[in-house]
Amino acid sequence: MVVSNRLPVDRYTSDDAENGEEGWRRSPGGLVTALAPMMTKTDGAWVGWHGAPDEALEPFSHGGMDLIPVELSTRDVELYYEGFSNATLWPLYHDVIAPPEFHRTWWDSYRRVNQRFADAVVQHADHGATVWVQDYQLQLVPSMLRRARPDLRIGFFNHIPFPPPEIFAQLPWRQAIIEGLLGADLVGFQRPSDAANFMRSARRFIGASVKQQQVHVKGADGQITHIARAQAFPISIAVDQISELAERPDIIERSRQIRQDLGNPKTILLGVDRLDYTKGIPHRLKAFEELLKEGRLTVEDATLIQVASPSRERVRQYRLLREEIEGTVGHINGSFDTMQNTAVRYLHHSYPVEEMVALYLAADVMLVTALRDGMNLVAKEYVTARTNNTGALVLSEFTGAADQLKQALLMNPHDIDGLKNTIMRAVNLPPNESRRRMKSMRKQILDHDVDHWSAEFLSALAETVVRDDS
């Protein structure tokens, strides 16, 4: 059983204008791509919110999975999701790039909603079932499940970074969060440093005994109730899907069309991000603008495509970020555009995976300048799509992907001069060096795809529980 904030389906209305019948289709997100095939093979169930507030739905089936909807009210969405999850935990866990807000009403809602998710699992899980809880919105669920259903095998995976204790210490409810996570038999993270941060926090804030990767969890009587293991499991992508799309003639032709529409510049640089303050988009734009000012790049020879998909637009910080980025793009284009050439092509949309792969094929340089990122799967998708081993990846050292893609051109996005120099190095990268770097990175991703990630986690979970029982 998988438990996540959202179910793996989106509601849609058919094109039949007369009937306007509603249905469900699989969501395009990375987590769904990762887990849905496994779930259909194992007759699994998925617990999550279906996306519409103030609506109760009965469990239903779709695509070989049993889906168990959890109801959220409009106020739940405001307080639990937009509030505590995305205005408290998200900035706190991303190194306080933006200031987190601490409100007791948000915390109360977070706790209540987590209990609702746990209750749904308790009601529907078979005896001895394996339950895999996903991400920062549901950090209290593991301990709630352990209290109510000690027969369950419980795993948790944190898709975003886990902060060092010095930052985590700011959270007024830090002890409750640590205890919530320690209800799991296995707590997974993107990077070894995240797992280490979690274990240091467990030791510091609840006095847990930590040995290697094991946290000895004590009950109220001081006796050890179970051992929780904390370990890194870097998530990856559906390699076969991206590789097959990159070889399709219509997508290859679409990539040529993209270049032609841009006037066939010598170099296309590409950024693909959610519109989020953790992604370092302003830093990227600043570096690109200065390169144009200095004449190291010219608008005739280089174009930056920036895809910024809409994100959390009801949250004030995200609205301000959008205004800042759109103002910067307008300033750059107003300063450097010619009748024939555009400096920055800014696209505030989400695109289907086919169009994204065409963009990856069209781009000579991929810019991933995140200030903090749990993984960043865009970097892995770009490398996977470059089946002829051409192109260059400029990658922030503050992404989880930097741990695996060591042949990328790594840089510190806070160092604008260093970022500019790395971009120029990527633009002028010799073909032989480009092939060597891409070949090495592609091998790493092909050997560690998303199926490898889920299989490795579940195998470790089974092993952890067996070891604990013995």
Side-chain angles (χ1 to χ4, degrees):
M1 182 175 280
V2 167
V3 191
S4 66
N5 179 62
R6 285 294 300 270
L7 285 174
V9 291
D10 294 323
R11 181 183 272 145
Y12 73 95
T13 303
S14 70
D15 295 332
D16 188 332
E18 291 185 11
N19 296 326
E21 293 179 355
E22 290 189 338
W24 299 94
R25 58 186 165 211
R26 185 179 291 183
S27 304
L31 180 65
V32 178
T33 302
L35 297 180
M38 175 198 68
M39 297 291 285
T40 55
K41 290 176 193 170
T42 58
D43 194 26
W46 197 307
V47 175
W49 179 45
H50 62 282
D54 304 310
E55 180 185 42
L57 290 181
E58 291 298 315
F60 62 101
S61 295
H62 182 274
M65 285 183 287
D66 293 329
L67 304 180
I68 302 167
V70 173
E71 182 182 357
L72 295 184
S73 68
T74 300
R75 188 156 174 80
D76 291 331
V77 174
E78 178 187 345
L79 301 181
Y80 144 79
Y81 182 71
E82 295 173 352
F84 195 80
S85 294
N86 291 320
T88 300
L89 294 176
W90 180 268
L92 185 77
Y93 282 30
H94 286 86
D95 291 354
V96 199
I97 294 169
E101 298 180 41
F102 304 116
H103 300 293
R104 286 170 289 180
T105 53
W106 290 3
W107 164 249
D108 291 340
S109 178
Y110 184 83
R111 194 174 50 201
R112 284 194 303 271
V113 171
N114 271 241
Q115 187 65 62
R116 206 174 303 155
F117 276 80
D119 291 345
V121 175
V122 168
Q123 181 181 351
H124 293 279
D126 292 340
H127 183 83
T130 294
V131 180
W132 193 359
V133 185
Q134 306 289 332
D135 224 1
Y136 63 103
Q137 300 97 342
L138 302 174
Q139 291 176 106
L140 304 180
V141 169
S143 63
M144 292 171 172
L145 293 180
R146 182 165 289 277
R147 285 195 297 271
R149 290 285 302 273
D151 60 290
L152 298 175
R153 178 184 296 174
I154 305 166
F156 182 93
F157 189 80
N158 197 64
H159 291 260
I160 67 174
F162 197 90
E166 295 76 16
I167 290 178
F168 188 71
Q170 297 178 36
L171 185 66
W173 308 280
R174 62 200 187 189
Q175 183 175 340
I177 293 291
I178 294 292
E179 290 173 346
L181 290 170
L182 287 175
D185 298 291
L186 178 63
V187 187
F189 298 92
Q190 300 281 22
R191 309 177 85 170
S193 58
D194 296 323
N197 286 341
F198 170 71
M199 289 184 283
R200 288 169 59 208
S201 289
R203 185 187 291 117
R204 176 170 168 181
F205 299 122
I206 69 168
S209 172
V210 180
K211 298 177 182 177
Q212 295 180 323
Q213 295 176 313
Q214 298 179 338
V215 182
H216 294 248
V217 184
K218 296 177 182 178
D221 58 0
Q223 298 297 310
I224 294 174
T225 59
H226 72 286
I227 296 172
R229 187 175 179 84
Q231 189 174 335
F233 299 90
I235 198 170
S236 193
I237 62 170
V239 167
D240 290 344
Q241 179 195 26
I242 300 296
S243 297
E244 288 168 9
L245 289 172
E247 300 282 3
R248 260 176 45 182
D250 60 320
I251 290 179
I252 294 171
E253 179 56 35
R254 173 62 185 144
S255 72
R256 292 197 190 104
Q257 185 66 48
I258 289 170
R259 292 194 74 97
Q260 186 175 324
D261 290 346
L262 294 171
N264 287 314
K266 181 181 174 184
T267 304
I268 293 179
L269 303 100
L270 174 65
V272 176
D273 310 88
R274 271 192 320 105
L275 192 60
D276 192 287
Y277 50 75
T278 64
K279 301 299 183 181
I281 302 173
H283 300 65
R284 183 183 313 162
L285 292 172
K286 183 174 181 61
F288 184 65
E289 179 181 13
E290 290 189 10
L291 288 171
L292 291 173
K293 276 183 182 175
E294 294 164 7
R296 297 168 72 183
L297 292 176
T298 67
V299 74
E300 290 80 13
D301 286 339
T303 295
L304 170 61
I305 302 174
Q306 177 59 59
V307 178
S309 57
S311 176
R312 301 169 190 163
E313 296 190 304
R314 288 170 41 145
V315 179
R316 179 174 177 273
Q317 288 167 326
Y318 289 79
R319 293 197 302 270
L320 294 175
L321 176 67
R322 178 179 177 181
E323 291 171 8
E324 176 192 351
I325 290 173
E326 291 180 351
T328 302
V329 169
H331 172 72
I332 294 172
N333 287 342
S335 301
F336 297 100
D337 278 7
T338 67
M339 288 294 184
Q340 293 80 26
N341 305 104
T342 298
V344 181
R345 187 65 60 91
Y346 174 72
L347 305 167
H348 184 56
H349 308 286
S350 297
Y351 289 97
V353 65
E354 292 84 0
E355 182 73 359
M356 294 312 306
V357 172
L359 282 167
Y360 296 148
L361 294 179
D364 304 287
V365 177
M366 185 81 215
L367 301 178
V368 178
T369 60
L371 308 180
R372 191 76 168 94
D373 217 333
M375 178 51 61
N376 196 287
L377 296 180
V378 164
K380 294 188 174 185
E381 289 178 352
Y382 176 75
V383 171
T384 302
R386 308 296 294 196
T387 55
N388 59 358
N389 294 318
T390 60
L393 173 63
V394 173
L395 181 62
S396 166
E397 62 192 46
F398 302 118
T399 64
D403 282 6
Q404 285 101 51
L405 306 182
K406 298 183 185 299
Q407 292 300 313
L409 299 175
L410 299 176
M411 53 76 208
N412 173 3
H414 298 282
D415 175 8
I416 300 299
D417 287 333
L419 174 54
K420 286 157 56 180
N421 291 336
T422 307
I423 290 173
M424 291 311 302
R425 187 180 171 197
V427 169
N428 298 310
L429 199 64
N432 285 344
E433 184 178 354
S434 173
R435 278 193 296 272
R436 176 179 60 79
R437 289 175 177 273
M438 277 290 176
K439 192 172 181 180
S440 173
M441 291 190 288
R442 290 195 82 249
K443 184 179 188 311
Q444 204 286 334
I445 297 170
L446 268 58
D447 290 344
H448 300 85
D449 65 0
V450 73
D451 292 333
H452 178 273
W453 169 75
S454 58
E456 188 179 28
F457 183 95
L458 292 172
S459 175
L461 175 57
E463 182 186 332
T464 298
V465 175
V466 168
R467 187 189 298 118
D468 194 8
D469 289 345
S470 61

